[in-house]
Each structure stands twice: as structure tokens, then as C-alpha cells.
Amino acid sequence: MEKNNEFIAGQQIEGPKAPKDPADRRNGFFVLYETAIEATARAEGKPSQEVYLEGNYLIDKAKFIGGVTDEAILELLGSSTGFRKLVHSIGVSVRRTNAQGDPVTFLLQHWGKTSKYETGSYLRVPCPADGSEVILKLAADYPGSEEDDVLGKFAFEFNHAGELAIASVIFYLHDGYSVPELILEPPVAFESNEYQKIITQSLLHAGNNKRLKAAINKAIKGEEVTIAYIGGSITQGAGAKPIHTECYAYQSYLRFKDLFGTNGGENIRFVKAGVGGTPSELGVIRYERDILRDGSVTPDIVVVEFAVNDEGDETKGNCFESLCLKTLSADHQPAVILLFSVFMNDWNLQDRLSPIGRHYNLPMVSVKDAVSEQFRLSKAEGNIISKRQFFYDIYHPTNEGHRVMADCLAYLFTETHKSLMNEDEILLDQRPVIGNDFAGTLLLDRKNYIDAGKIEVGGFSGIDTDLQRVEMDADSHGTPEFPHNWMHSRASGEESFKLTITSKNLILVYKDSGSSEFGKADIFVDGSLAVTADPHVNNWTHCNPVILYQNEASSEHQIEIKMVPEDQDKCFTILGFGYTL
């Protein structure tokens, strides 16, 4: 049945009158295999787990999950036409893990040629959620559309947020194509001596332990200790299911609480502030709001994790060093731990950022150093955890990967506890490695602007509520980022937003969006065009910082933001600004 490019496949379950002999199973490869999924509340539609396939996502899943090495097959996955040429049918199985309930609906969607999210076809099919495989024959169940451009996403739709399941998706191939059969791996031997050995390799630098050891001693004495985490999507918990309890941040907090807490760990507090897809350039703006909670929280330990997010930092390390110094300079002298996570291709920015940690003699933990070398080994050669087991996708860890990260931090905790306390304090009054220009950055938004500057909102009088949401602390639900914003709506007219401010530096934070209702805006500084902000460069609901100016001395500046002429009838959201006096 077709409705607005939607295809609905259904199977009525009944006993066969005369069962046929089994058909030979087609050759195929997995793009999801026994993958944990979790229903997340959405602004529109049912709670779901979404799995994006655009760009190299699908090809990387075929490589690292399905074991596909044939370049001709991988190339076919890059377009809807190639996908249909290659794939005969799709096998989908879903198994609930936390409750019996209704079927889970599987969605397969192509992005469109004319309008990415609107003109491509999509298929919905209910899956029994008991582990049974549902076979979708593309020619019969899902003929598709000429508008289909590339395979865009899978989604698993549930009735309630927080529901959990295990899912597998396999592509069965047309005759003439073949791939090697998937070799199943044994579970990770977390209790083995070999596993403990790779964890010890994560301690990149013990650093000056005075602040961390002081926090541990406070905890042992029963005093209240707060451990906080700031970073990107991995700190948010991406890939962990459930995201709020299986993420590395929460798991390492539990380890700290078990090791050093009193009365069941009641004296240990947890603060988590990871925002997906954002660098330390945004972290330095939101630190007071998201970590210090505007003065209500004084963390004893702060874990900083931007090693795979800061490629998008325009300052190439200045904002990261500034964030470290902002944290370290607080009167309550928190310990700062630098955590270096890693992508599936073994990449991170450890080489750029670790000199900052060594300069200030900070404890540093490298997940890359722990796992990357052993990724190259076969099981016979001593591999403990494979990339397929560690990574949920090419960027984010599975539950097993998050456990490894938590164990790496726990190793630092235990080694610090065993060591003698350093007598000298961390030396902050020294020349920076890269820069400290943004250490004093403050947030300016509708809530925090009275003393910062003069604002004329013009046509940006609305407030956007469709924002990037992140799971803060131990919450399972998302909290909107930058809710005190200024929005230009479709009917707002041509009047511009104007800001008069005295500052050394100014960072604009605007909303990216995949919606065709959003358009570009020109940002002028002192009458000159500084940047044209395009919400569709990243093309998803996301917080995007961009530096408008960076000076050695503070002076008054005039900022004007107005829609480009061809987008006067479209939306644009100013989430806020970061400024340094």
C-alpha cells in the first residue's frame, strides 16, 4: 500500500496449510548485529531509536559489522539505485529486553533528491519483538520511488520512551553477489588478567595528584564530593543503552562511589553535561550553566572529554586550554582529568591536546592507548575486545565500550588512591601552551544579558522550543540546550537583531536544523559582514558556535544579524553568545 511515498508491509501469522521445503538462505551481511536500542522521546512521532546511514555511515557499518571488504559492493551502498541493485531482501529481528509488549515498528527511509527529508520513500513494518526475523522482499514490499537518492536512516518505533530491545538487520543479496559469512565472537572477558592489562595502558599521565587525592580523601571521610563530566556525545552517553545508566560517565561515577563513598555512597554527587556534536568552543560558554549550575554546584572533580569533538574548534586548542584553566582557577580548586576517547578509525586529538595536560601536570586517561593496538590483533593473537564489540557506530561506544572507558577512569582513581599526595599545587600562572583567551567567557542569552550589552531583538522576537536535547546528570529524558534564545520566524519580517557589547571576544551560538523552514542569516560586526550562518551545513538540530571576533583588548562593537534576502520568510535561531570582558 502506498501513501505519500510510504509503504506498509504486514504479515498475518497463521499456520501453513502445506509447508514447503525450506528455501536456501541467501548470502548476506549484517549492518546491525545484536545491537542494543532504546526508545527516545521525539518532538514529533513515536519514541524511537534512530540509526543514520547517510554519508559513510552505512558503508562503515557494512565494513565493521558485516565484514564486507569488496569495494564494488561497498560502492553500491552509496546510492538508492545501487542499494536496490545489490539487496534482494532485508531481515529484521527485534527482541525486547525489559518488558513484553506490542510489536516494534521498523522504519527504512531514503533521503529524497528534491527535498532531502520530504520526497524520499519510506517503509514501515511491525516486528513481533520476540526475536523472530521478518523478511522484507524489496521488489514486492518496497518498490521505492524515483525520488530516492540515498538510504537515509533506520528507525525502531516504540510506544513508550525508555523501552529497550536488541535488534539485528541483515541485507540479503541478489544472485551474483557474495560476502564472507560473519564469524561470531566470544563475549569480552572483562574479568581476565589480559583485560586488566589493557586498562593499565590507559594511564597516559598520572599528573599532579594533589587535587584528585584530596577529593578521594574527602569522600573516604564521608564529606560530600561531586564528580562532574563535560564533553560531547560520548559524555552525553551516545551508544549506551540505557543512555543514562550505561554511559561511561555514570558507570565511572558508580565506581568512584563504590571505591570511596560512605553509607552506600550517599555522599557522592553526579553531574553530567555532554552535548552531542559540540566542541570545547561551546563547552567554555556553557560551563557555568551546565556544570556549576549558576553557582549551586561546586565540583571536586571535573572530567573533560573533547578529544574527538574539537576538530570543530576554530581556535585549535585555545578554547580547550581556556576551559581547563577556567575550571582549575576556581576558588574551590577542583581536580581536572583529561579523557581522550577514540573513533573507530583510531583517530582523536590526543597529540594536540595532551601537551596542555602535561604543561599543567594534569591526570590524563587515554582510551585510544588502551584499545587501539589490540584492535589490530586476532583472537588467537590476544585480542580482548574487537571494534565490532567496542563501537556502536563509527563514533560512539557500545555498552561494552562505555564500560572500558569507565574502567580506565577507575584505574586512575585507584592508582591515585595508592600513591603519596603531591606537596606542590598545580602551577597555573605560566604562559599557556596554545592560548587562554577564552578562560573568562560568559554566556549571554535572554536570561543573562542585562549587564552584558544593549539588545534590540527586531524580527527575532520569538523563542524556539524545538532544540537539541541532552540527557543531563542521571536523567533518562532530554533537557533543551539554550532555551532562552531569540528566533526569527517565517512571519517576522525584515527587521534585524542588534547587539551593542563591550568585549574582547564574541562567539555566536546558533541553531543548525534539517528543516526546510530554516534559512541563512548574515552576521555583521561593526558594519562589515563577518559570516553568513547556514543552519543546513550540519543539517540537524544542533548547537553551532562561531567566533565573530577575537581581540587582545576589550572595546565596544555593534553586531547586526539579519536574514539573507532570499530567506526573509524563513526561520533562524540565535541560541546565545559567549563573550569575554
Side-chain angles (χ1 to χ4, degrees), residues 324-338:
C324 292
L325 287 170
K326 170 184 276 199
T327 308
L328 289 164
S329 300
D331 292 339
H332 60 279
Q333 296 188 330
V336 170
I337 299 169
L338 305 188

Side-chain angles (χ1 to χ4, degrees), residues 218-226 257 260-269:
K218 277 182 66 177
I220 292 171
K221 289 188 290 186
E223 298 177 38
E224 184 173 303
V225 169
T226 298
K257 187 165 74 167
F260 311 117
T262 58
N263 297 323
E266 292 182 357
N267 60 321
I268 311 301
R269 304 286 180 262

Side-chain angles (χ1 to χ4, degrees), residues 250-303:
Y250 189 76
Q251 287 295 311
S252 60
Y253 149 75
L254 290 181
R255 303 234 196 327
F256 188 92
K257 187 165 74 167
D258 291 342
L259 286 166
F260 311 117
T262 58
N263 297 323
E266 292 182 357
N267 60 321
I268 311 301
R269 304 286 180 262
F270 175 62
V271 171
K272 185 186 72 172
V275 178
T278 64
S280 58
E281 187 175 329
L282 187 72
V284 76
I285 297 173
R286 61 186 182 85
Y287 181 80
E288 280 83 5
R289 184 195 66 192
D290 288 354
I291 295 293
L292 302 184
R293 307 293 159 91
D294 296 322
S296 64
V297 172
T298 52
D300 299 273
I301 302 168
V302 179
V303 178

